[in-house]
Amino acid sequence: MNSFDAFKDPALCRSLLGRLTEEATTPMRFMEVCGTHTVAIFQSGLRSLLPGTITHLTGPGCPVCVTHESEVAAFLELAARDDVIVATFGDLMRVPGPKGANLKTASAEGARVEVVYSPFDALALAKANPDRTVVFLGIGFETTAPTVAATIRLAREQSLDNFLVMSFHKLVPPALRALLADPEARVDAFILPGHVSAIIGVDPYAFLATEYGVPSVITGFEPLDILQALIHIVRMRRDNAPAVINQYSRVVPEHGNQKALAVMAEVFTPVDALWRGLGVLPQSGLAIAEPYAAFDAFKVLGITLKDHPPLPGCRCGEVLKGKMPPNECPLFAKACTPATPVGPCMVSTEGGCAAYFKYRLEA
């Protein structure tokens, strides 16, 4: 038995589930923000066991899923350049862009695209290919950004002049604010992301309770974590005492990871950013700061984001805002499957559509 098994104890899970069922007497719509929570809720079987009063919504916490159509078009434009090697995490390879093109098809047509497991791998790729420019696609939230920032700083220390980053990093709190400002979203409570919170801490979420009166819990990914978070939420709503509770204190420091926050603040600067389904959100993205402009692929290579219409028929934007469950999309499990994804929510293993397909349709 390892330390994680204690958080899956069946007897404790049954006990907490019974308590939740007993106390959840009024309707509630909660959203899990993080794609890893999406998978954990399905994988553990919790979703089918929740009381009928509770509605579970998937949220915008999958970094691949929220990458905007215009951003996909930008990195496909980049891949078409003969002098560039694109370095990317594997989950971006099949994300569809304009006319269904993706990095996999670009690679088949001759583009040099390399799958890496960390930005440091991309740095090594640049050292091994001094005659080419290596561009790392920086996709992710606050969880990923510090490592990318540290890589950029290392590239400067090593005087590498053929390593660039195309930063599409996004920040979670502005997306939550946008969701709550949308009256159609109807989110009563949030389960907040454990990984992102390990970097930013608790304070950046305070507005959820103070400005919007929405109870929220930072929690882990095991069944007991999630059940305990839901009990906290039900009680906060019952007592009309909204707050942000850190249930995941074994991992999440109250004030975040100061070293990670420092390197992010040194290398990146907040900017307005495009989100799939949510549009432009103020100060919700991270661009490379001026002192590190020599590593900014947008500036060095002169690439700009251009308007692109949503993918025809794709409803990923509504899924990401909790307005539509994946299986109500007309394309779900028909034209759009994990083998033939129309939108990114079916591509990513953390996407809501992929989770619905794997754990509901096939179960």
Side-chain angles (χ1 to χ4, degrees):
M1 181 174 181
N2 63 43
S3 58
F4 290 105
D5 289 337
F7 295 95
K8 300 173 183 170
D9 183 272
L12 279 175
C13 283
R14 280 194 294 272
S15 174
L16 288 185
L17 191 58
R19 203 177 304 168
L20 178 65
T21 303
E22 183 180 322
E23 298 189 29
T25 55
T26 56
M28 179 188 78
R29 292 161 57 88
F30 85 93
M31 174 180 281
E32 38 69 15
V33 177
C34 173
T36 309
H37 275 139
T38 305
V39 174
I41 289 170
F42 278 95
Q43 199 169 36
S44 63
L46 281 181
R47 195 176 192 284
S48 60
L49 298 174
L50 294 177
T53 51
I54 292 181
T55 300
H56 167 217
L57 309 171
T58 60
C62 160
V64 170
C65 301
V66 297
T67 301
H68 193 270
E69 292 90 345
S70 296
E71 295 175 329
V72 178
F75 62 66
L76 288 173
E77 176 187 338
L78 176 72
R81 296 177 64 131
D82 292 334
D83 56 343
V84 162
I85 299 174
V86 173
T88 178
F89 296 137
D91 51 5
L92 277 184
M93 290 295 289
R94 296 196 307 135
V95 174
K99 299 180 181 177
N102 57 39
L103 285 176
K104 195 171 181 181
T105 57
S107 180
E109 291 168 359
R112 179 86 185 268
V113 182
E114 298 285 346
V115 173
V116 296
Y117 296 97
S118 84
F120 296 111
D121 291 343
L123 200 65
L125 194 63
K127 288 180 185 175
N129 293 272
D131 57 332
R132 303 282 289 271
T133 298
V134 173
V135 181
F136 176 71
L137 303 182
I139 303 287
F141 299 116
E142 291 92 333
T143 320
T144 311
T147 308
V148 178
T151 309
I152 292 172
R153 193 165 65 179
L154 185 60
R156 186 168 77 169
E157 290 170 3
Q158 297 179 350
S159 301
L160 273 180
D161 60 4
N162 67 327
F163 174 75
L164 303 173
V165 172
M166 187 174 260
S167 178
F168 299 114
H169 294 98
K170 293 177 171 60
L171 303 173
V172 167
L176 304 185
R177 184 180 289 280
L179 283 171
L180 292 178
D182 183 345
E184 294 182 12
R186 295 190 297 119
V187 177
D188 296 320
F190 286 110
I191 283 185
L192 297 170
H195 297 146
V196 165
S197 304
I199 302 299
I200 67 175
V202 179
D203 294 345
Y205 302 117
F207 72 94
L208 298 173
T210 58
E211 295 182 35
Y212 294 95
V214 171
S216 307
V217 180
I218 299 167
T219 193
F221 302 92
E222 302 299 337
L224 287 178
D225 289 321
I226 295 166
L227 285 169
Q228 194 173 54
L230 290 174
I231 290 173
H232 279 310
I233 287 171
V234 166
R235 290 177 178 174
M236 283 191 280
R237 293 193 77 230
R238 179 195 64 195
D239 299 338
N240 192 26
V244 178
I245 292 177
N246 182 11
Q247 185 274 346
Y248 203 29
S249 58
R250 66 183 187 275
V251 171
V252 176
E254 193 73 8
H255 301 295
N257 182 323
Q258 295 302 309
K259 288 186 177 178
L261 291 171
V263 72
M264 279 174 61
E266 176 186 332
V267 175
F268 291 122
T269 187
V271 292
D272 298 350
L274 268 173
W275 293 61
R276 187 182 297 269
L278 298 174
V280 178
L281 302 184
Q283 300 293 286
S284 67
L286 292 175
I288 296 175
E290 195 55 35
Y292 291 90
F295 300 94
D296 187 339
F298 286 106
K299 291 180 179 175
V300 174
L301 301 179
I303 293 176
T304 57
L305 295 185
K306 302 176 181 66
D307 287 339
H308 285 275
L311 299 166
C314 177
R315 309 291 285 274
C316 280
E318 291 167 75
V319 170
L320 292 167
K321 290 184 284 190
K323 294 182 178 179
M324 170 186 282
N327 57 357
E328 287 187 9
C329 172
L331 304 184
F332 180 79
K334 299 180 181 109
C336 186
T337 71
T340 57
V342 175
C345 295
M346 189 62 91
V347 174
S348 173
T349 55
E350 294 188 345
C353 297
Y356 259 70
F357 189 94
K358 182 173 182 178
Y359 294 107
R360 283 183 61 115
L361 193 69
E362 291 186 334

